Amino acid sequence: MDSSKQLTDHRPAIILFAHGSTVEEANQGVRELARRIEGQGAHQYVRTAFLGPGQPELGTAVAGAIAQGFSRIIVIPYFLTLGIHLRRDLPMLVAAEQEKHPGLEILIGRSLEDHPEMASLVLSRIREITEGAKVSP
């Protein structure tokens, strides 16, 4: 095995998992966020997956990470709350992928709702309005 494969074997692939939308611009926004995260350099492989109807679905994203030599994947839900998709759907999807790929480690992060910076983000959006800054939806 070459040295680049050895590097990916112990560094995780990151999959940003979002709901997905029929509005492709919404899906593109999640893909752009993944590119920005990867561009910050802490993680060499950051991709997206969608519950539906966006593409790729989680299974395709997992297969892509495996094809690049990753045996450990961290799935970060890009959801504000721990609703039915994170309580039921995502764990079922991950279990199916682990069954298909024995030896693959998939870890699931938490939703964004209780992140300590969430209040600051919302306050920042409020300031954009109250301070007269032009914002687009």
Side-chain angles (χ1 to χ4, degrees):
M1 181 180 337
D2 69 25
S3 62
S4 65
K5 285 284 192 191
Q6 289 174 349
L7 178 65
T8 58
D9 281 347
H10 57 275
R11 292 186 110 185
I14 308 300
I15 296 177
L16 192 58
F17 181 75
H19 189 279
S21 175
T22 55
V23 177
E24 184 52 32
E25 292 84 8
N27 301 330
Q28 223 18 63
V30 180
R31 290 185 196 102
E32 178 57 31
L33 176 60
R35 280 191 288 278
R36 289 186 356 234
I37 293 167
E38 186 177 273
Q40 290 184 4
H43 300 283
Q44 66 185 31
Y45 188 93
V46 182
R47 301 295 187 273
T48 57
F50 299 95
L51 182 60
Q55 293 295 321
E57 293 181 344
L58 185 64
T60 302
V62 166
I66 292 169
Q68 292 297 310
F70 290 93
S71 60
R72 186 170 192 233
I73 298 172
I74 297 175
V75 177
I76 298 298
Y78 192 58
F79 285 73
L80 288 178
T81 60
L82 182 63
I84 193 71
H85 295 313
L86 299 186
R87 290 178 191 265
R88 180 194 66 198
D89 300 333
L90 181 56
M92 285 177 19
L93 291 168
V94 166
E97 291 306 310
Q98 288 179 311
E99 188 173 312
K100 280 194 264 184
H101 307 285
L104 177 66
E105 181 181 19
I106 303 177
L107 305 168
I108 303 172
R110 297 186 348 220
S111 64
L112 300 173
E113 69 186 317
D114 65 347
H115 191 282
E117 296 298 319
M118 189 55 67
S120 294
L121 289 170
V122 172
L123 288 169
S124 174
R125 292 298 191 206
I126 293 168
R127 278 192 303 278
E128 289 174 352
I129 301 299
T130 60
E131 293 173 6
K134 292 186 178 189
V135 291
S136 59

